[in-house]
Amino acid sequence: LSVVNYLVMAASGALKSGEALPVDGRNLSLGERWERWLCARTVRMQQDAMQMRPSLSRDEFTQCFPGEQREAGAIWDALGQQIFVDGFLPHPDDDLETIYDLFDEELEDVLKEALDAVGYRIPPSPKTIVVPPVKTVRAEVQCIARFRPSFA
């Protein structure tokens, strides 16, 4: 049973809160064990983050980005698929790797989804735009704002 299947079962009510996977952990492959560990780790990190920082509504979140509110809204929406804890909301200072378990391809997928949502395109020659490392939600918003067309 994959983590995705587990999350679907949990969301559909097939599993009760705190109920274990209906699979004996000893029968799981190393990859399946790794997926379960990562999902559990992400849940713990999001729960911890909720305790240590204020929750922001979507409007409050976008207000943290003057001049980049449209991009911030797109990132908020894209990150919604990376939330494993009920009531958890994105925050500008969240670390993408630690709290959302976003690395390389997954992070790129979130960025592309946000770019599509605001109608921005990566230019044919991406060397014209220098993008610093994206480690936080704030950096992610600033990154897609760099792709804003000059006429927008």
Side-chain angles (χ1 to χ4, degrees):
L1 189 63
S2 74
V3 171
V4 172
N5 289 338
Y6 172 73
L7 294 173
V8 169
M9 289 174 67
S12 68
L15 291 177
K16 304 295 183 256
S17 179
E19 185 176 351
L21 283 171
V23 174
D24 182 349
R26 294 173 295 190
N27 296 328
L28 296 176
S29 71
L30 182 59
E32 289 169 324
R33 288 181 191 191
W34 179 249
E35 281 184 39
R36 284 178 67 182
W37 181 85
L38 284 176
C39 183
R41 178 185 167 279
T42 303
V43 166
R44 281 191 311 274
M45 296 306 292
Q46 289 182 0
Q47 289 170 335
D48 290 348
M50 285 176 64
Q51 300 298 319
M52 297 186 320
R53 61 162 173 74
S55 290
L56 301 175
S57 69
R58 188 178 193 279
D59 288 340
E60 292 169 325
F61 177 84
T62 59
Q63 293 299 316
C64 294
F65 300 94
E68 298 172 340
Q69 292 168 329
R70 186 169 175 226
E71 293 88 352
I75 291 294
W76 170 280
D77 296 340
L79 285 175
Q81 298 174 18
Q82 306 300 321
I83 294 174
F84 296 99
V85 176
D86 190 36
F88 180 82
L89 300 172
H91 192 275
D93 299 321
D94 286 348
D95 182 278
L96 294 165
E97 292 178 2
T98 305
I99 296 179
Y100 298 94
D101 194 35
L102 290 174
F103 297 89
D104 304 325
E105 291 85 18
E106 295 88 0
L107 178 57
E108 187 176 318
D109 290 344
V110 170
L111 287 169
K112 285 179 181 178
E113 181 181 334
L115 284 167
D116 286 343
V118 293
Y120 299 172
R121 301 289 175 250
I122 297 173
S125 178
K127 293 178 184 178
T128 60
I129 296 178
V130 177
V131 178
V134 177
K135 298 291 185 189
T136 65
V137 173
R138 183 177 308 281
E140 193 171 32
V141 169
Q142 293 166 344
C143 176
I144 69 164
R146 291 172 183 254
F147 292 96
R148 183 186 306 147
S150 57
F151 58 85

